[in-house]
Amino acid sequence: MKENKAFFRLQHLCVISLILIRVALTAKITATTPSPLSLSRMEQYWSGSAMNKSKGMVENLQSYGIIKSRKVAEVIENIDRGLFVPNGVQPYIDSPMSIGYNATISAPHMHATCLQLLENYLQPGMHALDVGSGTGYLTACFALMVGPDGRAVGVEHIPELVSFSIKNIEKSAAAPLLKDGALSVHECDGRQGWPEFAPYDAIHVGAAAPEIPQPLIDQLKPGGRMVIPVGNIYQDLKVVDKKSDGSISIRTETSVRYVPLTSKEAQLKGE
C-alpha cells in the first residue's frame, strides 16, 4: 500500500513538472516571438471593406507602423494602386499579386517599406532607378517624390509589361512627369541598370538576386542607397549604402520572398 502511495505521489509530481515546463516554454516563445508590427511578420495580410481605396490602405499601413512619414503617406495615397493591377484584381489588399509573365506586383506593405527606407534619397531633384519595374507603380511613386527637376527611371525586360506600365502611368498622378521626361520606362535587363541617367541617389530592385549585381553598385551615387532582396530559397531585404569615399556598407532589413531576378528567357520559363 505504501508503495502504491509513493508511486501515485511520484506520478503527481511528474505531471506538475510537465505543466511547469510547458508554462515556461510558452512564456519563452511569447517573449521571443516578434511583434505583429515587426516587418518580419508582415505576411499577415489584412483585407476588408475599408480597403477599397488608397486612403484606407494608407491608414492600415500607418496603423501597422509601416508608413511612418507624411511624405510617404501622401505619395501612396496620390498614386492609386488600382490603376496598376490587372483587371479583376483587388488592388488594396495587402498581398503580392500576379501580373503575368511569372512576375508579381509586391504587397503594399513592401512598397511602403521600400519607400520609407529610400525616402531621404528620393528628395526633389534626385535620381532614382526602379529595377524590375513591372506595372510601373513604384516608379510612379519615385517620380512624384523626386519631382520635375529629378529623374525616375524604370527598367523591365518584358516588353508587354513596359507597354502596360506606361499606359498605367499615363492614367496616374505621375502622368505629367512622364510627358515632360522626368519619368521614363525602358526595356532592358535590369541587372545591368540604366547607365544613361546614373549615378542614382536611390535604387530599388523588385526581384531577388543571388548576389548584388556589380553594375547596380557602380551606378549608385556616393552617398546613395540601394534596397534589394538577395538570396535564393531564403531571401533578405538588403540595404546597401555607398559612402562618400565609394565604400559600401550592407545591412539586412528583414526576411522577404520575391520572384527571382533573372534573364527574360528564364523568367518566362518560370525558372
Side-chain angles (χ1 to χ4, degrees), residues 12-156:
H12 182 66
L13 289 172
C14 288
V15 171
I16 292 174
S17 297
L18 288 171
I19 292 172
L20 290 174
I21 290 171
R22 179 174 293 181
V23 169
L25 287 174
T26 301
K28 183 176 181 181
I29 291 170
T30 302
T32 57
T33 299
S35 161
L37 300 183
S38 168
L39 291 176
S40 64
R41 296 292 301 281
M42 284 295 105
E43 291 178 6
Q44 299 180 5
Y45 303 135
W46 58 76
S47 62
S49 60
M51 294 297 292
N52 59 355
K53 290 184 178 180
S54 293
K55 186 174 178 62
M57 185 179 74
V58 167
E59 289 172 352
N60 272 299
L61 290 166
Q62 288 173 320
S63 70
Y64 275 77
I66 306 301
I67 293 179
K68 301 178 177 68
S69 75
R70 184 173 64 180
K71 181 64 176 178
V72 170
E74 288 175 351
V75 168
I76 293 179
E77 196 168 323
N78 287 330
I79 300 295
D80 184 0
R81 183 178 165 92
L83 301 174
F84 291 85
V85 298
N87 291 333
V89 173
Q90 296 182 11
Y92 309 107
I93 292 177
D94 192 46
S95 174
M97 299 167 185
S98 173
I99 58 174
Y101 311 98
N102 292 312
T104 61
I105 179 172
S106 295
H109 78 264
M110 283 309 308
H111 282 150
T113 296
C114 292
L115 286 171
Q116 284 291 164
L117 290 169
L118 292 170
E119 181 182 9
N120 291 337
Y121 307 86
L122 293 169
Q123 298 300 311
M126 291 185 172
H127 285 205
L129 175 65
D130 186 19
V131 175
S133 50
T135 67
Y137 174 77
L138 206 58
T139 315
C141 291
F142 288 173
L144 222 58
M145 294 181 80
V146 301
D149 295 326
R151 170 68 66 168
V153 179
V155 291
E156 170 61 55

Side-chain angles (χ1 to χ4, degrees), residues 202-230:
I203 297 178
H204 166 265
V205 182
E211 56 186 25
I212 303 171
Q214 187 60 45
L216 298 183
I217 294 176
D218 295 340
Q219 291 173 36
L220 185 63
K221 185 178 181 179
R225 170 173 287 184
M226 172 164 46
V227 175
I228 176 172
V230 178

